[in-house]
C-alpha cells in the first residue's frame, strides 16, 4: 500500500464530547494502516487530547498536528449578557505550526473558557488576532464567517473577511477550506468558496470534518 496523499486537517476525537466517536488509539491505528504521513485533531474548544495524541502519533511515525475548532464572536460579552445575547458567533479552525502557535492555542482556549463562556467556550476576534503568531487558520465549516457570508450571498463581506485574515495571519498561513459536498447547500458553498479563492489568489485545502472513523457510526452522534 502506498503512502496516502491526503492528510486530515479537520478532525474531531472523542474529546469533542458528544460529537465524535473517534478514540485516539483507534484513530492512529487506522492512520498507520493507510500510511498517512501526518494527522491533525481539531476538537471543539479544547486540547484535552493533545498530549495523548502527540505521543501516539509520534510513536507510530506519524507527524502530529495540534489544532482546535473555536467559536469566535466579534466583541466581548459582559457577564449579564452571556445568557441572553443573540450576538452572532462563527467557527474557525486553527492549527499550530510551531511551539509559539501551540502556546497561543493554549492562551486562546484559556480565554475562551475563563472569559468567553456563553453556552460554549468562545473567543473574540480581537483575542484571536492578538494570539495569531505561529498559527494556521482555515476558513472553517459552513458555520465559519466566510462560508456564512457566502451562503447569505454577501460576497463583499466574505471578501473583506478573507482579506482581513490574510493581513493578520499572512497569505502563507490562511487557507480556504473545502469539505465534501454531501448536500446541495455544500455544493453551492464549495463553488462560491472556490470562486473567492481564485479571485483573491488564496490557497485551498480539502478537509473531511471527520467525527467518525466508520460511516456506520454516524447515527451515534
Amino acid at each position: 500500500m502506498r503512502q496516502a496523499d491526503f492528510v486530515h486537517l479537520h478532525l474531531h476525537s472523542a474529546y469533542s464530547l458528544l460529537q465524535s466517536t473517534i478514540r485516539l488509539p483507534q484513530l492512529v491505528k487506522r492512520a498507520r494502516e493507510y500510511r498517512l504521513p501526518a494527522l491533525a485533531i481539531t476538537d471543539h474548544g479544547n486540547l484535552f487530547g493533545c498530549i495523548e495524541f502527540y505521543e501516539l502519533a509520534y510513536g507510530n511515525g506519524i507527524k502530529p498536528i495540534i489544532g482546535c475548532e473555536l467559536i469566535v464572536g466579534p466583541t466581548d460579552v459582559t457577564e449579564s449578557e452571556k445568557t441572553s445575547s443573540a450576538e452572532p458567533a462563527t467557527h474557525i479552525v486553527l492549527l499550530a505550526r510551531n511551539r509559539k502557535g501551540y502556546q497561543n492555542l493554549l492562551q486562546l482556549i484559556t480565554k475562551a473558557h475563563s472569559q468567553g463562556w456563553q453556552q460554549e467556550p468562545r473567543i473574540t476576534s480581537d483575542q484571536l488576532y492578538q494570539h495569531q503568531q505561529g498559527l494556521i487558520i482555515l476558513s472553517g465549516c459552513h458555520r465559519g464567517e466566510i462560508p456564512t457570508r457566502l451562503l447569505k450571498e454577501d460576497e463583499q463581506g466574505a471578501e473583506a473577511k478573507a482579506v482581513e485574515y490574510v493581513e493578520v495571519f499572512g497569505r502563507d498561513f490562511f487557507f480556504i477550506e473545502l469539505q465534501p459536498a454531501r448536500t446541495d447547500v455544500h455544493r453551492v458553498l464549495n463553488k462560491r468558496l472556490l470562486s473567492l479563492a481564485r479571485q483573491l489568489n488564496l490557497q485551498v485545502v480539502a478537509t473531511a470534518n471527520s467525527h467518525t472513523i466508520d460511516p456506520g457510526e454516524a447515527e451515534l452522534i
Side-chain angles (χ1 to χ4, degrees):
M1 182 187 298
R2 72 182 183 87
Q3 188 178 69
D5 295 327
F6 182 77
V7 171
H8 281 282
L9 296 176
H10 188 165
L11 181 146
H12 301 281
S13 79
Y15 285 100
S16 290
L17 302 180
L18 303 180
Q19 300 184 54
S20 173
T21 62
I22 300 176
R23 298 184 180 276
L24 294 179
Q26 174 193 23
L27 170 66
V28 172
K29 179 181 178 182
R30 184 65 63 89
R32 185 173 181 178
E33 290 173 357
Y34 282 102
R35 301 185 65 187
L36 298 185
L39 181 65
I41 59 169
T42 55
D43 285 313
H44 284 289
N46 75 75
L47 293 175
F48 299 152
C50 71
I51 294 177
E52 179 186 359
F53 168 67
Y54 185 92
E55 292 176 344
L56 283 168
Y58 189 79
N60 282 274
I62 299 168
K63 180 180 180 178
I65 302 171
I66 304 299
C68 185
E69 183 169 7
L70 278 169
I71 296 173
V72 181
T75 59
D76 288 312
V77 178
T78 65
E79 193 67 34
S80 62
E81 294 172 326
K82 286 184 179 179
T83 58
S84 60
S85 174
E87 182 181 328
T90 55
H91 291 203
I92 54 159
V93 174
L94 298 173
L95 304 172
R97 56 186 174 88
N98 52 34
R99 182 182 294 271
K100 182 64 175 178
Y102 175 67
Q103 292 171 340
N104 274 324
L105 267 185
L106 293 176
Q107 289 281 346
L108 289 169
I109 291 170
T110 297
K111 291 179 187 296
H113 282 264
S114 63
Q115 300 175 19
W117 190 277
Q118 186 185 349
Q119 297 181 328
E120 296 177 278
R122 72 182 219 169
I123 58 173
T124 67
S125 296
D126 288 344
Q127 289 169 338
L128 173 62
Y129 296 161
Q130 289 166 7
H131 297 282
Q132 52 77 27
Q133 287 188 333
L135 291 174
I136 292 170
I137 183 170
L138 310 184
S139 59
C141 63
H142 67 284
R143 294 182 64 185
E145 185 163 357
I146 290 173
T148 296
R149 293 186 179 190
L150 288 175
L151 287 173
K152 293 180 179 179
E153 299 186 355
D154 179 13
E155 289 83 4
Q156 289 185 341
E159 179 180 342
K161 194 65 185 180
V163 170
E164 185 176 308
Y165 283 154
V166 169
E167 291 175 347
V168 173
F169 288 86
R171 186 170 295 276
D172 291 338
F173 306 117
F174 167 52
F175 293 81
I176 293 294
E177 180 177 353
L178 301 179
Q179 296 184 355
R182 299 186 178 96
T183 66
D184 290 340
V185 171
H186 281 98
R187 281 187 280 274
V188 169
L189 176 58
N190 280 347
K191 289 181 180 179
R192 293 177 182 176
L193 286 167
L194 273 174
S195 177
L196 177 66
R198 289 168 179 152
Q199 178 183 343
L200 298 179
N201 193 28
L202 301 174
Q203 300 182 90
V204 175
V205 63
T207 74
N209 193 10
S210 299
H211 293 73
T212 65
I213 288 181
D214 297 312
E217 296 177 351
E219 297 179 358
L220 300 176
I221 56 175

